[in-house]
Amino acid sequence: MKNPWLYLVAALLLVGCSGGTKPGVDEHGHSEDEHAHGASENPTTDRHDQPNEQVKLSDEATKIAGIETTIARTEEFQQFLQVPGTVTSTDKCKAVVTPPVAGRVISISARLGDSVRQGQTLAVIESPELSQAWSTIADARRLRDAAQSDLNQARSEVQLSQAKLNASKTNLARQRELVRAGAFSQAPVQQAQNELNDAQSELLSVQKEQASHAEQVRRLENLYRDGIVSKSELEAARLELQQDQIRLDRAKSRVDFTKAVYEREKNIAARGLLNSKELQSAEADVRSSSLELERSKIRVRATESALANADRGIANAQAVYRANSGSGRSSVGRVALVAPISGVITHLDVTKGQAVDRTQVLLEVANLTSVWVTANVPEMDSERVRKGAPVSIQIGSLPDRDFEGIVQVVGTTVDPKTRSVPVQCLVTKTQGLLKPQMFAKVFIGMGVSSPKLVIPPSAVVKEGGKSFVFVKHEGTFERTQVVLGDQSADRVVVISGIEEGQTIASKGAFILTSEQKKGELKGHEH
């Protein structure tokens, strides 16, 4: 690809050559009469002694040189104070990551400068404390399972005792009816009744024990799968359950047998008188059953208390584990360190295999969508700065970007070395482009805005302590001296030299200056 600047130089040479062939006309096409007229407009300037202030470029040469123009306009302008500043992160958008428990780092999945999202795993720590806390939870759960099993058995005993009491009361009522009728019982009938009751009670007891042992086998099977109990313990429990089945079969056979005996004795007693001693025996059975029921209820209350204690033990063990594992995801003996906020990792002080403790700062995450810019305002100007004033920020490495902010805090002390007051400005919508410790130009708004004639700073050329702009007149750019006033990040006030509506070069003024200097040299040669 050919260099476009070669085209520019060729075009400019053509312009220079065509302007010097006519007698009485300068290289820009102006006659001597025009020079005289110009001199009469400014009596303090002798155009014969002044250098050539005009540069003539074709439209093609202007485009190749990258020269852009703008119109001087009157706009609302607020006076700005320009001071240096430094970018820092805000407290709300900064978070540190510390281990919730002492241990050893076994993996790191983040690097310095990485962008991370909230909750993302940054590192994993292996901790003996966490393993111990997990073991405590497992022990507490085993105690709770045992307490639950005891409670189930105690409740079964209450049901059995209640059934025996109901049977005893029913038998007592029957015996009283027989006594009021003047009947007496023969011993065999009552004995058969008692044996039947005992057989039925035994059957209920065996059924309850079998249910309890079946539950215990189920629990041991779960524990065996988790590796908590041995196979021998499980097999012993299964053997006991098989023995319960044998006892259950025997109890059923006994019930059937005693029931047959009772029916036989009852038929025999129907032909005679019932023995009155059976009434006393029935009353004794009621008293005994009542005492047994009360003892069963006391045991239920005791096992319920033990179960509640076991639940509290689990809750306490889990609380200790959560305290040790922090907010990160955890497994047996391991905890993940996660990003507390979304942002960029600005500090990383940990390596794989390193031993860490709770007080050690391992990482720092900063969300740079909002940052502080601390401006150093000279002591003499500090009284003019007000909270809430608008701020414009420029960064040397981002020349085409301006960032808007607002004054949040005006310092109350003066730095004895720099004689400046720190002013904190909050800058939002940075798109993460502003990094901590970047140097900045800070333009702080002062007072109220008013209409001013403004142009972009890029249009101004400084030379010999004076300021110039290039005003465009058709195909000619004329260098014009201007007097400037206040400046913001993207505008500068023009006090005099040009008028509103004039077209000036906003970009490429240095190229026009170079061409104007070459024109001066040619003028001296003529």
Side-chain angles (χ1 to χ4, degrees):
M1 180 180 293
K2 296 182 179 179
N3 192 336
W5 287 102
L6 296 178
Y7 293 104
L8 171 60
V9 173
L12 294 176
L13 290 176
L14 290 174
V15 171
C17 292
S18 63
T21 57
K22 296 180 181 180
V25 179
D26 64 13
E27 64 271 22
H28 295 284
H30 295 286
S31 65
E32 294 177 356
D33 293 338
E34 288 176 288
H35 281 292
H37 178 69
S40 65
E41 290 180 348
N42 188 356
T44 62
T45 303
D46 186 355
R47 298 289 291 190
H48 181 74
D49 297 330
Q50 287 293 98
N52 190 354
E53 300 290 338
Q54 294 182 339
V55 178
K56 187 173 183 180
L57 292 178
S58 65
D59 291 341
E60 182 180 2
T62 300
K63 183 177 180 181
I64 293 174
I67 298 172
E68 297 180 8
T69 60
T70 188
I71 298 175
R73 304 179 187 276
T74 298
E75 300 177 354
E76 287 292 322
F77 183 86
Q78 185 176 25
Q79 182 182 0
F80 279 83
L81 174 65
Q82 179 181 344
V83 293
T86 306
V87 179
T88 59
S89 58
T90 63
D91 293 337
K92 290 183 179 179
C93 298
K94 181 180 179 181
V96 298
V97 179
T98 57
V101 64
R104 183 175 60 86
V105 178
I106 62 173
S107 68
I108 302 174
S109 55
R111 294 178 297 178
L112 189 65
D114 282 356
S115 296
V116 296
R117 63 183 184 279
Q118 184 177 10
Q120 179 179 336
T121 297
L122 306 179
V124 177
I125 293 177
E126 189 174 62
S127 170
E129 276 186 60
L130 210 57
S131 298
Q132 180 61 39
W134 184 267
S135 178
T136 302
I137 292 176
D139 292 341
R141 286 174 175 169
R142 284 194 292 271
L143 290 176
R144 185 193 184 282
D145 290 342
Q148 184 66 59
S149 179
D150 291 343
L151 177 60
N152 293 339
Q153 185 175 355
R155 287 173 176 172
S156 298
E157 291 176 357
V158 168
Q159 293 176 355
L160 179 60
S161 299
Q162 185 66 56
K164 290 177 66 176
L165 178 60
N166 293 339
S168 299
K169 288 180 177 179
T170 300
N171 181 54
L172 177 60
R174 185 176 65 254
Q175 295 299 328
R176 285 174 176 172
E177 289 294 331
L178 292 175
V179 169
R180 283 195 294 270
F184 298 95
S185 173
Q186 293 181 354
V189 175
Q190 189 61 46
Q191 183 177 358
Q193 177 68 57
N194 291 338
E195 289 179 357
L196 177 58
N197 291 340
D198 289 341
Q200 290 175 340
S201 297
E202 182 184 3
L203 177 60
L204 288 175
S205 177
V206 172
Q207 288 174 338
K208 297 298 180 181
E209 288 183 5
Q210 185 187 39
S212 176
H213 290 160
E215 175 63 20
Q216 184 176 8
V217 167
R218 183 196 63 77
R219 180 171 57 85
L220 289 174
E221 287 175 345
N222 291 335
L223 293 176
Y224 174 73
R225 282 194 296 269
D226 291 339
I228 298 176
V229 300
S230 63
K231 185 174 182 180
S232 59
E233 291 178 304
L234 177 61
E235 294 298 331
R238 289 174 175 172
L239 179 61
E240 188 172 7
L241 184 62
Q242 293 175 357
Q243 292 175 349
D244 288 341
Q245 184 61 45
I246 296 173
R247 291 172 57 199
L248 181 64
D249 294 340
R250 291 177 179 175
K252 289 180 179 179
S253 299
R254 184 186 173 195
V255 168
D256 293 340
F257 176 77
T258 54
K259 186 179 292 186
V261 172
Y262 170 72
E263 293 296 331
R264 185 182 70 249
E265 294 297 333
K266 187 171 64 173
N267 291 333
I268 294 173
R271 294 175 294 181
L273 299 176
L274 298 176
N275 194 332
S276 62
K277 292 194 304 182
E278 301 302 329
L279 178 60
Q280 297 177 352
S281 176
E283 291 174 346
D285 286 343
V286 170
R287 289 192 295 271
S288 176
S289 299
S290 297
L291 291 175
E292 184 178 347
L293 177 61
E294 187 62 29
R295 286 193 297 269
S296 298
K297 289 180 178 180
I298 292 173
R299 187 182 176 197
V300 166
R301 289 193 292 271
T303 53
E304 286 176 342
S305 177
L307 180 60
N309 289 336
D311 287 334
R312 284 192 292 271
I314 292 176
N316 292 338
Q318 289 174 337
V320 171
Y321 186 83
R322 285 194 298 270
N324 287 335
S325 60
S327 60
R329 293 175 292 275
S330 61
S331 58
V332 180
R334 295 182 178 182
V335 61
L337 300 182
V338 300
I341 61 173
S342 297
V344 177
I345 297 177
T346 58
H347 174 77
L348 179 63
D349 187 18
V350 63
T351 57
K352 185 176 180 181
Q354 179 180 342
V356 296
D357 56 42
R358 288 186 175 90
T359 61
Q360 189 171 351
V361 176
L362 305 183
L363 304 101
E364 290 185 7
V365 181
N367 188 326
L368 301 178
T369 55
S370 297
V371 298
W372 288 117
V373 174
T374 302
N376 300 314
V377 178
E379 179 183 357
M380 64 181 67
D381 296 320
S382 60
E383 291 300 322
R384 301 164 59 197
V385 179
R386 294 288 181 267
K387 181 179 179 180
V391 174
S392 184
I393 307 297
Q394 287 185 342
I395 303 295
S397 59
L398 303 168
D400 297 329
R401 295 293 300 270
D402 292 332
F403 301 90
E404 303 301 323
I406 188 171
V407 173
Q408 290 280 32
V409 181
V410 179
T412 57
T413 60
V414 178
D415 189 316
K417 295 181 179 179
T418 62
R419 307 308 302 174
S420 63
V421 176
V423 174
Q424 281 195 310
C425 310
L426 180 63
V427 182
T428 59
K429 299 179 181 179
T430 66
Q431 289 81 45
L433 297 176
L434 300 187
K435 305 295 191 297
Q437 305 308 317
M438 274 185 169
F439 291 109
K441 288 182 182 179
V442 184
F443 297 87
I444 303 176
M446 315 292 288
V448 296
S449 61
S450 60
K452 301 286 185 182
L453 180 62
V454 295
I455 60 175
S458 59
V460 179
V461 177
K462 302 285 186 179
E463 184 178 333
K466 299 178 181 180
S467 300
F468 300 89
V469 297
F470 284 89
V471 181
K472 184 177 183 181
H473 302 286
E474 296 182 354
T476 302
F477 288 93
E478 181 177 1
R479 193 176 79 152
T480 305
Q481 183 178 347
V482 291
V483 179
L484 304 179
D486 295 322
Q487 180 176 342
S488 68
D490 58 349
R491 296 181 299 171
V492 59
V493 174
V494 179
I495 297 176
S496 64
I498 61 173
E499 297 179 355
E500 182 179 9
Q502 286 188 293
T503 301
I504 63 173
S506 59
K507 288 186 179 181
F510 71 95
I511 297 177
L512 294 173
T513 300
S514 176
E515 292 304 318
Q516 182 261 332
K517 294 295 184 184
K518 291 197 299 186
E520 290 180 16
L521 295 176
K522 291 179 181 179
H524 288 304
E525 291 173 359
H526 289 298

